[in-house]
Amino acid sequence: MSVLDLSCSQSFSFAPPCSLPCKNSERALLGCGYQLFLYFEIPSCVSPCSIKKARLVLFKLPDSGTRYYQDTSPNPFFAYPLLDFYSPYGCLYAPPSIDGGREVIFYDDASRCCTEADVTDLATAWADGSIENKGLILTAGEGSKLITYASDRHEIWGMRPMLRLVCGNNPECQPLSMRECEVALQF
């Protein structure tokens, strides 16, 4: 088994119906009307049969003056794969189509520093080509709390959104081989 951590290459949050996205921010907002767009590049060497588990990991930031609810009752969050490409200026056009049949429901645990969602079926579908990888859209249920996450531009690399793939033996991704060599330095 091997673990492959994919860093988010693009993220932005926005509040419908039409607002300026937080596209150049270190923060990504989800809940209280805010939606979150995420894009992860799946390496071509990852075969669908090798993916055993895929988890979306979002790291929380301390409240930055946004509304925060002390309510600990679980509110659902939803992840949908996009069927259309999307941009930070998408509010000027029709909303992108989503694949509602591949909905992922997840919950935030207020006592944890991160939120995780099992997206194994989505990652497998991207890897086998049954749907094209155009990113994810995350939304929240009615009355959900606002959560501030680190975005793809956060200064701490390890806190950026991550897709963790747990893979079995993958013959398509060969490990690097080591060769002995001698190096002579001349000054």
Side-chain angles (χ1 to χ4, degrees):
M1 295 279 210
S2 61
V3 175
L4 184 61
D5 288 338
L6 306 177
S7 188
C8 182
S9 60
Q10 192 177 54
S11 70
F12 54 87
S13 55
F14 54 94
C18 188
S19 67
L20 294 175
C22 304
K23 63 180 175 51
N24 290 322
S25 174
E26 289 189 359
R27 301 178 323 139
L29 305 174
L30 180 61
C32 288
Y34 280 89
Q35 295 181 336
L36 177 58
F37 168 81
L38 300 168
Y39 182 79
F40 297 91
E41 185 71 36
I42 307 293
S44 59
C45 69
V46 174
S47 69
C49 59
S50 72
I51 298 175
K52 303 299 179 202
K53 189 172 188 175
R55 282 192 332 263
L56 173 64
V57 182
L58 303 169
F59 293 92
K60 297 177 193 173
L61 295 178
D63 184 36
S64 306
T66 56
R67 288 186 356 198
Y68 183 77
Y69 295 96
Q70 294 299 327
D71 181 16
T72 57
S73 61
N75 290 313
F77 292 92
F78 308 94
Y80 300 97
L82 289 172
L83 299 176
D84 296 327
F85 287 108
Y86 197 52
S87 87
Y89 306 104
C91 70
L92 302 174
Y93 307 98
S97 298
I98 60 169
D99 188 342
R102 297 183 194 269
E103 174 185 77
V104 173
I105 301 171
F106 62 100
Y107 296 88
D108 173 61
D109 181 348
S111 66
R112 296 192 61 213
C113 67
C114 64
T115 302
E116 295 185 26
D118 184 348
V119 292
T120 306
D121 292 339
L122 298 181
T124 303
W126 287 333
D128 71 15
S130 59
I131 58 171
E132 187 177 352
N133 179 8
K134 295 181 178 178
L136 291 170
I137 202 88
L138 305 182
T139 64
E142 265 314 299
S144 64
K145 62 186 172 187
L146 179 66
I147 303 176
T148 305
Y149 294 109
S151 77
D152 67 314
R153 295 180 176 263
H154 196 271
E155 67 179 333
I156 301 173
W157 280 77
M159 289 184 66
R160 294 177 178 186
M162 172 177 60
L163 182 62
R164 174 164 278 186
L165 299 179
V166 178
C167 300
N169 293 337
N170 190 353
E172 296 175 34
C173 289
Q174 298 297 324
L176 297 174
S177 60
M178 294 178 53
R179 303 272 186 217
E180 288 188 33
C181 65
E182 292 183 23
V183 177
L185 299 176
Q186 296 181 2
F187 294 97

